[in-house]
């Protein structure tokens, strides 16, 4: 079960887990790329289902879990990759992102604290609703299924280096990811005695729609590449490999962890 599986890190997880023989459920706002991904997995001999999901909706998360059980009978592994970098973010809409970067740059030129003092509260709420509350809702819906079916399970959340580094600009994203980190640890403690492991991945900058506009911005080299010892963004597949490890029995004694595939961001 992969939320946010239509693009980027979630999509790479869907393909990686499918090659290991897993039945895949992709749940996402965007049906076009999600359905294309499930078709690709099925034509390669796998089994996959697409479910439309706004991860911020409790009912939609419950429906997602029910659809997975209906099709495959159980849920063993969940990756919560649905996320936004900004309240107006829509995966693949690079033009809007470029405009938001330009607007933020202009506002900062007038007021260097604008990203904090002029932050739109609806924008803040949407980031927290999707990234943090959405992760909670997905964990609630799927963990209950795992408990009911009395089988061990693994949940992998997607935080960020921003869980431990405020980065720059709006506080919404780092705060949401710090919340995902603590939620992961809390859920791990609650669910460990019940046979469910919960871990977080905190990627550095990864080459997906989410960083595509940033990669075109002037600040990119200074802020991202120069601060990443490996000197490049990661690939979604490199993050999917970490998710696969955390979901697998090879990680049987690992829970409540935050692992950073970040090209060395946290070395200094
Ligand atoms: N790309 C990076 O550099 C990076 C770094 C650290 C963490 N992350 C995190 O990784 C996760 C995946 O991001 P990505 O880089 O693959 O971005 P992406 O835009 O390629 O994929 C995100 C997916 O989440 C879906 N989504 C967004 N809002 C949703 C909602 N309300 N309900 C359901 N689905 C929704 C999108 O439609 C999209 O398919 C996010 O949580 C992101 O914050 C990304």
């Amino acid at each position: 079960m992969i939320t946010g599986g239509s693009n980027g890190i979630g999509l790479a997880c869907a393909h990686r887990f499918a090659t290991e023989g897993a039945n895949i459920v992709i749940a996402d706002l965007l049906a076009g790329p999600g359905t294309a991904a499930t078709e690709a997995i099925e034509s390669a001999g796998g089994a996959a289902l697409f479910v439309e999901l706004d991860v911020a909706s409790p009912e939609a998360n419950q429906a997602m879990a029910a659809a997975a059980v209906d099709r495959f009978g159980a849920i063993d592994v969940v990756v919560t990759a649905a996320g936004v970098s900004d309240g107006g973010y829509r995966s693949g809409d690079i033009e809007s992102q470029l405009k938001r970067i330009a607007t933020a740059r202009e506002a900062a030129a007038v007021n260097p604290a604008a990203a904090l003092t002029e932050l739109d509260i609806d924008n803040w709420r949407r980031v927290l609703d999707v990234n943090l509350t959405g992760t909670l809702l997905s964990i609630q819906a799927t963990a209950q299924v795992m408990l009911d079916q009395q089988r061990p399970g693994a949940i992998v959340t997607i935080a960020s280096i921003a869980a431990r580094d405020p980065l720059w600009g709006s506080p919404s994203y780092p705060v949401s990811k710090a919340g995902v980190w603590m939620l992961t640890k809390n859920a791990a403690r609650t669910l460990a005695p019940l046979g469910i492991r919960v871990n977080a991945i905190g990627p550095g900058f990864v080459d997906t729609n989410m960083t595509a506009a940033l990669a075109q911005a002037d600040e990119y080299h200074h802020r991202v590449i120069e601060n990443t010892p490996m000197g490049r963004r990661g690939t979604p597949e490199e993050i999917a490999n970490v998710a696969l490890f955390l979901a697998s029995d090879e990680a049987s004694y690992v829970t409540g962890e935050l692992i950073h595939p970040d090209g060395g961001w946290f070395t200094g």
Side-chain angles (χ1 to χ4, degrees), residues 7 9 28 53-55 81 89 91 158-159 173 177 204 206 208 211:
N7 288 285
I9 291 169
D28 201 290
L53 167 80
D54 180 348
V55 80
Y89 177 80
S91 189
I158 308 292
Y173 186 79
K177 294 301 186 177
V206 183
T208 68
T211 57

Side-chain angles (χ1 to χ4, degrees), residues 86 96-116 118-119 123 168-170 214 217 219 223:
D86 177 90
S96 300
Q97 281 176 266
L98 283 169
K99 276 191 203 137
R100 278 197 296 279
I101 290 172
T103 306
R105 194 186 291 131
E106 281 162 24
V110 178
N111 171 10
L116 175 68
E118 295 170 21
L119 173 62
N123 193 308
W168 57 85
S170 164
L214 180 64
E219 301 94 328
R223 284 179 167 170

